[in-house]
Amino acid sequence: MIKRIIGTAICIVMSCALFAQEEEIKFQILNQYEETLNSATLTVGGNTNEHLADDNGYFTIKAQPSDVVVISRSGYSDFSSSIAELKKDQTITLRKDFSWKDLMNPMFYIINGGLWLLLFIVFAETGLFAGFFLPGDSLLFVAGIYSSNLVHEFFKAFGIGHIRNEWIDLLLMTVLISIAGIIGNMVGYWFGRKIGPAMYSWKDRFLFKRKYLNDAHDFYEKHGGGAIIFARFLPIIRTFAPIVAGIVQMDRKKFMFYNIVGCIAWVVSMIFAGHFLQIWVRKQFGFELRDHLEMIVIIIVLVTTFPVAWKLLSGKKKPKKTV
């Protein structure tokens, strides 16, 4: 009987000691695009439960120092971490499985290609037919937020020490991206000039009428400069505007002038908006724009496509009145 009592007491003491060793750990879970995840399945010490983050995006668990935490979420690869790692970093990156939707996420290109992929996308959006689906506006906006990191890649590639100064970073970003955009437009224009003369001899078809070329030629003669500038701010249209300008044989010098003006205006507005709006929102409201990039992308798409939709809807011919 005495041995049994002693054994029970020892078990109780050991249980209390183990319980006393439990620690409360707080940590955040992000994906590779730096988006905060607010729910996940956590396995701690063999016990699996669904957890929700608090209003600040932090998860709270109680665990012993020897426990291993396994983090799971649908559409993501599982991740395991020791308690020591959680206490040290307090941030876990859970890798999201690739989906085609990621191609519309500007952070996909920032993470996987950085500055060099960014420059290629700006070029491809206007230099290649296939570039019309690429997220140019939102990508430049996000590039403004990460301008310092992206410029660091440029200096690193040439073995130059990076002097971190926001104005130098923004100026260099503007120059590099503007050059890529200007060259892209030039390629599109050159391609249009090459195939343009042949198109005037094409027969009318369902998707092609020579009248369209004549109308486009008259439009560019009258509004060519404005068309090239404003096309920069309109998704899809900026891909085909320089090509059409080349097809209708728009004056080369006139095209180049408005090409440069439009590209610089587009790059400066998007890069500077992303950079300084991020700073202003952080100071005024205490949160990071980068944590809400999906909503930002949607807003930018709506804003940039609204003029096109409005023009298409308001430009419909009104039915003629019968006398």
Side-chain angles (χ1 to χ4, degrees), residues 181-202:
I182 290 168
I183 294 175
N185 254 13
M186 289 170 60
V187 171
Y189 175 80
W190 173 84
F191 183 78
R193 285 187 72 93
K194 287 294 182 182
I195 67 170
M199 292 182 70
Y200 280 97
S201 62
W202 290 3

Side-chain angles (χ1 to χ4, degrees), residues 114-178:
L115 175 65
W116 309 112
L117 183 57
L118 165 63
L119 296 177
F120 173 76
I121 288 174
V122 173
F123 164 80
E125 254 207 317
T126 50
L128 305 175
F129 272 114
F132 68 89
F133 70 92
L134 295 170
D137 295 318
S138 55
L139 183 57
L140 290 192
F141 187 91
V142 174
I145 297 176
Y146 292 90
S147 57
S148 181
N149 295 5
L150 293 170
V151 169
H152 179 69
E153 292 182 37
F154 177 81
F155 286 111
K156 185 179 179 181
F158 294 96
I160 305 172
H162 180 198
I163 302 174
R164 293 186 179 273
N165 179 285
E166 66 174 341
W167 291 106
I168 294 176
D169 293 342
L170 291 172
L171 179 60
L172 185 56
M173 282 281 290
T174 299
V175 171
L176 293 173
I177 297 173
S178 295

